[in-house]
PDB file of all heavy atoms in Angstrom:
ATOM      1  N   ASN A 164     -89.198 -52.534-133.441  1.00 98.00           N
ATOM      2  CA  ASN A 164     -90.048 -53.650-132.967  1.00 98.00           C
ATOM      3  C   ASN A 164     -90.136 -53.741-131.499  1.00 98.00           C
ATOM      4  O   ASN A 164     -90.794 -54.625-130.963  1.00 98.00           O
ATOM      5  CB  ASN A 164     -89.469 -54.994-133.516  1.00 98.00           C
ATOM      6  CG  ASN A 164     -89.740 -55.175-135.003  1.00 98.00           C
ATOM      7  OD1 ASN A 164     -90.485 -54.407-135.560  1.00 98.00           O
ATOM      8  ND2 ASN A 164     -89.200 -56.236-135.575  1.00 98.00           N
ATOM      9  N   VAL A 165     -89.434 -52.820-130.786  1.00 98.00           N
ATOM     10  CA  VAL A 165     -89.500 -52.830-129.284  1.00 98.00           C
ATOM     11  C   VAL A 165     -89.811 -51.393-128.855  1.00 98.00           C
ATOM     12  O   VAL A 165     -88.923 -50.752-128.313  1.00 98.00           O
ATOM     13  CB  VAL A 165     -88.255 -53.364-128.619  1.00 98.00           C
ATOM     14  CG1 VAL A 165     -88.204 -54.849-128.735  1.00 98.00           C
ATOM     15  CG2 VAL A 165     -87.007 -52.781-129.227  1.00 98.00           C
ATOM     16  N   PRO A 166     -91.058 -50.834-129.138  1.00 98.00           N
ATOM     17  CA  PRO A 166     -91.326 -49.517-128.776  1.00 98.00           C
ATOM     18  C   PRO A 166     -91.258 -49.206-127.305  1.00 98.00           C
ATOM     19  O   PRO A 166     -91.095 -48.080-126.920  1.00 98.00           O
ATOM     20  CB  PRO A 166     -92.701 -49.301-129.336  1.00 98.00           C
ATOM     21  CG  PRO A 166     -93.307 -50.627-129.464  1.00 98.00           C
ATOM     22  CD  PRO A 166     -92.081 -51.457-129.843  1.00 98.00           C
ATOM     23  N   ASN A 167     -91.352 -50.266-126.448  1.00 98.00           N
ATOM     24  CA  ASN A 167     -91.267 -50.040-125.021  1.00 98.00           C
ATOM     25  C   ASN A 167     -89.886 -49.642-124.571  1.00 98.00           C
ATOM     26  O   ASN A 167     -89.719 -49.198-123.457  1.00 98.00           O
ATOM     27  CB  ASN A 167     -91.725 -51.306-124.258  1.00 98.00           C
ATOM     28  CG  ASN A 167     -93.231 -51.442-124.307  1.00 98.00           C
ATOM     29  OD1 ASN A 167     -93.963 -50.491-124.246  1.00 98.00           O
ATOM     30  ND2 ASN A 167     -93.767 -52.602-124.410  1.00 98.00           N
ATOM     31  N   ALA A 168     -88.963 -49.698-125.481  1.00 98.00           N
ATOM     32  CA  ALA A 168     -87.586 -49.235-125.154  1.00 98.00           C
ATOM     33  C   ALA A 168     -87.595 -47.748-124.840  1.00 98.00           C
ATOM     34  O   ALA A 168     -86.757 -47.238-124.107  1.00 98.00           O
ATOM     35  CB  ALA A 168     -86.577 -49.552-126.312  1.00 98.00           C
ATOM     36  N   ASP A 169     -88.594 -47.031-125.378  1.00 98.00           N
ATOM     37  CA  ASP A 169     -88.756 -45.601-125.121  1.00 98.00           C
ATOM     38  C   ASP A 169     -89.020 -45.298-123.652  1.00 98.00           C
ATOM     39  O   ASP A 169     -88.866 -44.165-123.217  1.00 98.00           O
ATOM     40  CB  ASP A 169     -89.820 -44.984-126.001  1.00 98.00           C
ATOM     41  CG  ASP A 169     -89.425 -44.986-127.467  1.00 98.00           C
ATOM     42  OD1 ASP A 169     -88.235 -45.043-127.841  1.00 98.00           O
ATOM     43  OD2 ASP A 169     -90.369 -44.921-128.311  1.00 98.00           O
ATOM     44  N   GLU A 170     -89.543 -46.358-122.895  1.00 98.00           N
ATOM     45  CA  GLU A 170     -89.852 -46.089-121.535  1.00 98.00           C
ATOM     46  C   GLU A 170     -88.762 -46.664-120.577  1.00 98.00           C
ATOM     47  O   GLU A 170     -89.045 -46.743-119.334  1.00 98.00           O
ATOM     48  CB  GLU A 170     -91.221 -46.784-121.210  1.00 98.00           C
ATOM     49  CG  GLU A 170     -92.361 -46.228-122.022  1.00 98.00           C
ATOM     50  CD  GLU A 170     -93.692 -46.876-121.714  1.00 98.00           C
ATOM     51  OE1 GLU A 170     -93.824 -47.473-120.619  1.00 98.00           O
ATOM     52  OE2 GLU A 170     -94.614 -46.777-122.535  1.00 98.00           O
ATOM     53  N   LEU A 171     -87.687 -47.019-121.100  1.00 98.00           N
ATOM     54  CA  LEU A 171     -86.583 -47.460-120.231  1.00 98.00           C
ATOM     55  C   LEU A 171     -86.092 -46.355-119.311  1.00 98.00           C
ATOM     56  O   LEU A 171     -85.937 -45.256-119.709  1.00 98.00           O
ATOM     57  CB  LEU A 171     -85.331 -47.974-121.034  1.00 98.00           C
ATOM     58  CG  LEU A 171     -85.464 -49.400-121.607  1.00 98.00           C
ATOM     59  CD1 LEU A 171     -84.255 -49.593-122.590  1.00 98.00           C
ATOM     60  CD2 LEU A 171     -85.520 -50.476-120.541  1.00 98.00           C
ATOM     61  N   ILE A 172     -85.788 -46.707-118.085  1.00 98.00           N
ATOM     62  CA  ILE A 172     -85.093 -45.829-117.219  1.00 98.00           C
ATOM     63  C   ILE A 172     -83.726 -45.516-117.857  1.00 98.00           C
ATOM     64  O   ILE A 172     -83.055 -46.430-118.318  1.00 98.00           O
ATOM     65  CB  ILE A 172     -84.909 -46.404-115.784  1.00 98.00           C
ATOM     66  CG1 ILE A 172     -86.268 -46.487-115.094  1.00 98.00           C
ATOM     67  CG2 ILE A 172     -83.935 -45.589-114.947  1.00 98.00           C
ATOM     68  CD1 ILE A 172     -86.258 -47.187-113.755  1.00 98.00           C
ATOM     69  N   ASP A 173     -83.401 -44.213-117.954  1.00 98.00           N
ATOM     70  CA  ASP A 173     -82.207 -43.875-118.750  1.00 98.00           C
ATOM     71  C   ASP A 173     -80.945 -44.586-118.364  1.00 98.00           C
ATOM     72  O   ASP A 173     -80.120 -44.961-119.214  1.00 98.00           O
ATOM     73  CB  ASP A 173     -81.981 -42.326-118.673  1.00 98.00           C
ATOM     74  CG  ASP A 173     -83.025 -41.529-119.399  1.00 98.00           C
ATOM     75  OD1 ASP A 173     -83.692 -42.096-120.270  1.00 98.00           O
ATOM     76  OD2 ASP A 173     -83.174 -40.350-119.144  1.00 98.00           O
ATOM     77  N   TYR A 174     -80.713 -44.779-117.048  1.00 97.00           N
ATOM     78  CA  TYR A 174     -79.480 -45.307-116.609  1.00 97.00           C
ATOM     79  C   TYR A 174     -79.276 -46.751-117.232  1.00 97.00           C
ATOM     80  O   TYR A 174     -78.160 -47.137-117.580  1.00 97.00           O
ATOM     81  CB  TYR A 174     -79.540 -45.471-115.065  1.00 97.00           C
ATOM     82  CG  TYR A 174     -78.279 -45.978-114.471  1.00 97.00           C
ATOM     83  CD1 TYR A 174     -77.137 -45.172-114.381  1.00 97.00           C
ATOM     84  CD2 TYR A 174     -78.125 -47.339-114.074  1.00 97.00           C
ATOM     85  CE1 TYR A 174     -75.893 -45.670-113.845  1.00 97.00           C
ATOM     86  CE2 TYR A 174     -76.970 -47.818-113.475  1.00 97.00           C
ATOM     87  CZ  TYR A 174     -75.883 -46.989-113.405  1.00 97.00           C
ATOM     88  OH  TYR A 174     -74.660 -47.523-112.867  1.00 97.00           O
ATOM     89  N   TYR A 175     -80.359 -47.498-117.270  1.00 97.00           N
ATOM     90  CA  TYR A 175     -80.331 -48.861-117.805  1.00 97.00           C
ATOM     91  C   TYR A 175     -79.975 -48.894-119.331  1.00 97.00           C
ATOM     92  O   TYR A 175     -79.402 -49.902-119.816  1.00 97.00           O
ATOM     93  CB  TYR A 175     -81.558 -49.727-117.484  1.00 97.00           C
ATOM     94  CG  TYR A 175     -81.811 -49.837-116.001  1.00 97.00           C
ATOM     95  CD1 TYR A 175     -83.048 -49.559-115.477  1.00 97.00           C
ATOM     96  CD2 TYR A 175     -80.803 -50.282-115.154  1.00 97.00           C
ATOM     97  CE1 TYR A 175     -83.324 -49.686-114.146  1.00 97.00           C
ATOM     98  CE2 TYR A 175     -81.039 -50.415-113.800  1.00 97.00           C
ATOM     99  CZ  TYR A 175     -82.327 -50.141-113.287  1.00 97.00           C
ATOM    100  OH  TYR A 175     -82.581 -50.254-111.994  1.00 97.00           O
ATOM    101  N   SER A 176     -80.387 -47.900-119.960  1.00 95.00           N
ATOM    102  CA  SER A 176     -80.099 -47.876-121.483  1.00 95.00           C
ATOM    103  C   SER A 176     -78.789 -47.261-121.793  1.00 95.00           C
ATOM    104  O   SER A 176     -78.360 -47.344-122.965  1.00 95.00           O
ATOM    105  CB  SER A 176     -81.259 -47.106-122.144  1.00 95.00           C
ATOM    106  OG  SER A 176     -81.284 -45.734-121.774  1.00 95.00           O
ATOM    107  N   GLU A 177     -78.117 -46.707-120.826  1.00 95.00           N
ATOM    108  CA  GLU A 177     -76.859 -45.950-121.083  1.00 95.00           C
ATOM    109  C   GLU A 177     -75.557 -46.663-120.526  1.00 95.00           C
ATOM    110  O   GLU A 177     -74.561 -46.569-121.209  1.00 95.00           O
ATOM    111  CB  GLU A 177     -76.941 -44.584-120.503  1.00 95.00           C
ATOM    112  CG  GLU A 177     -77.994 -43.660-121.109  1.00 95.00           C
ATOM    113  CD  GLU A 177     -78.244 -42.404-120.362  1.00 95.00           C
ATOM    114  OE1 GLU A 177     -77.723 -42.225-119.244  1.00 95.00           O
ATOM    115  OE2 GLU A 177     -79.001 -41.537-120.835  1.00 95.00           O
TER     116      GLU A 177
END
Side-chain angles (χ1 to χ4, degrees):
N164 286 351
V165 285
N167 285 323
D169 293 339
E170 298 182 20
L171 281 173
I172 291 173
D173 288 341
Y174 184 77
Y175 298 130
S176 64
E177 294 170 353

